[in-house]
Amino acid sequence: MIQGFRGELANASSVLIGTHLNPDGDALGSALAMSLYLDSIGIDNEVLCHHPAPKNLQFLPGVKRIRQHPKGEKHDLAIMLDLDSLDRLGSTEPYFSECPRLIVIDHHVPHEAPGNLRIVETSAAATAVILAQLLEAVGAKITPEMATCLLTGIVTDTGSFRFRNTNPESLAVSSLLLEKGGDLTQVNEEIFQSKQLSAARLLGHTLETMQLACNDQLAWSALSIRDFDFAKATDEDTEGFVNEMLFITSVQIAAIFREPKPGRIRCSLRSRSQYDVAEVAREFGGGGHKNAAGCTFDLTLEEAEDLVVERLKRCLASC
Ligand code: 5GP
Ligand code: MN
């Protein structure tokens, strides 16, 4: 696999790096670390993402290089990180489909398996863990900037080392990244302690209007366009809200439904260990991990809510 990675890079003169839409810290941290690495070995590259970096990830070293469209030249290698299917590339998908070679570096359970070289480990806490190990294996010089990007991926996907995916491997890799000069304090402050006032108000509304079922084991809340307008908030401000519901002692499964634009509903699902919400998300055309998944609907808020809540009740009953 390492030889394969080296070989692909040796034959590449220009690399297109991509990640999933609605990018999180693992998506952008991994993509930017890869870009900084390619810079360091003199390989021309650019980073594409359907959405620009959210506010709380603007601190990432190299963030300004993220573009929605390539500068126009042809690329002979594509590398996509932290996603398991091409359609999650959103509007950048055609640029990746055009590339003659594709490397996938990811930790999701694959439901498609694109790519000429796949470096996929579903047991890894974050794509950034896999990438940090890969960079070490190829003898890369991990700079403090790269280390901060990779730490951001691990901190995001482990909820700052609190989720069940926190394991000896993710801690060991994080320790190495600290040694390389990664700024863990900055990462934690930027990601967890930089809430916009609008987001705090919207979180209040989310918890205030939260609904419960199945002996308070199922919690969900819905945010309409009017709610967003009223709080002067955007969809990216809702990051982490669904976890706040899951952290209530009785709650085993939590869902949040958002209507960031009319007729388009985003749903995020979170569950405690034994419940598999990825399976539920996949039934609705989405995906993710067993305990953190999501899907999108072209329905009204109420319709999406009815469909998913009904299915989640069955999920709870079957365990
Ligand atoms: P979030 O709720 O934070 O948007 O996403 C949680 C997890 O589910 C992430 O790992 C993300 O990649 C995955 N996920 C969210 N929405 C979708 C979707 O529409 N399709 C797929 N395949 N995965 C999704
Ligand atoms: Mn990830």
Side-chain angles (χ1 to χ4, degrees), residues 186-199:
Q186 184 192 21
V187 170
N188 274 311
E189 282 180 3
E190 297 279 1
I191 295 183
F192 299 109
Q193 296 161 26
S194 304
K195 206 188 277 301
Q196 302 290 317
L197 179 59
S198 53

Side-chain angles (χ1 to χ4, degrees), residues 261-295:
K261 52 183 173 192
R264 162 64 48 112
I265 308 303
R266 283 278 309 149
C267 171
S268 288
L269 303 169
R270 298 290 185 273
S271 60
R272 292 195 195 256
S273 55
Q274 80 258 42
Y275 301 99
D276 187 349
V277 286
E279 201 183 301
V280 175
R282 274 196 296 275
E283 281 179 27
F284 295 115
H289 308 274
K290 185 179 177 193
N291 300 129
C295 45

Side-chain angles (χ1 to χ4, degrees), residues 112-277:
E112 280 174 28
N116 307 101
L117 174 65
R118 294 178 51 77
I119 305 176
V120 176
E121 257 182 66
T122 55
S123 61
T127 297
V129 170
I130 304 171
L131 180 56
Q133 290 171 328
L134 181 67
L135 293 179
E136 272 286 286
V138 298
K141 179 179 170 354
I142 298 182
T143 61
E145 290 75 24
M146 287 158 69
T148 293
C149 286
L150 293 166
L151 266 178
T152 299
I154 301 172
V155 165
T156 301
D157 276 17
T158 60
S160 207
F161 308 108
R162 287 173 303 139
F163 300 158
R164 293 177 76 85
N165 57 3
T166 307
N167 54 16
E169 184 189 42
S170 50
L171 288 169
V173 168
S174 300
S175 167
L176 173 85
L177 294 171
L178 284 181
E179 278 171 27
K180 301 284 182 189
D183 191 339
L184 183 61
T185 307
Q186 184 192 21
V187 170
N188 274 311
E189 282 180 3
E190 297 279 1
I191 295 183
F192 299 109
Q193 296 161 26
S194 304
K195 206 188 277 301
Q196 302 290 317
L197 179 59
S198 53
R201 296 227 192 277
L202 194 61
L203 174 60
H205 179 76
T206 304
L207 297 178
E208 191 80 37
T209 57
M210 177 178 71
Q211 300 185 69
L212 292 153
C214 308
N215 293 326
D216 299 346
Q217 292 184 90
L218 177 61
W220 73 98
S221 196
L223 295 171
S224 67
I225 290 218
R226 289 227 318 258
D227 297 323
F228 281 105
D229 287 348
F230 188 72
K232 296 193 172 57
T234 62
D235 193 39
E236 72 181 57
D237 290 321
T238 64
E239 179 77 41
F241 285 14
V242 64
N243 292 315
E244 295 295 333
M245 294 190 270
L246 187 68
F247 296 158
I248 298 165
T249 43
S250 64
V251 175
Q252 304 297 313
I253 299 180
I256 186 165
F257 301 85
R258 293 103 67 199
E259 183 186 24
K261 52 183 173 192
R264 162 64 48 112
I265 308 303
R266 283 278 309 149
C267 171
S268 288
L269 303 169
R270 298 290 185 273
S271 60
R272 292 195 195 256
S273 55
Q274 80 258 42
Y275 301 99
D276 187 349
V277 286

Side-chain angles (χ1 to χ4, degrees), residues 213 218 220 257 304-314:
L218 177 61
W220 73 98
F257 301 85
E305 211 177 316
D306 287 351
L307 269 178
V308 176
V309 167
E310 188 48 45
R311 181 62 186 81
L312 292 176
K313 284 181 182 167
R314 279 195 280 127

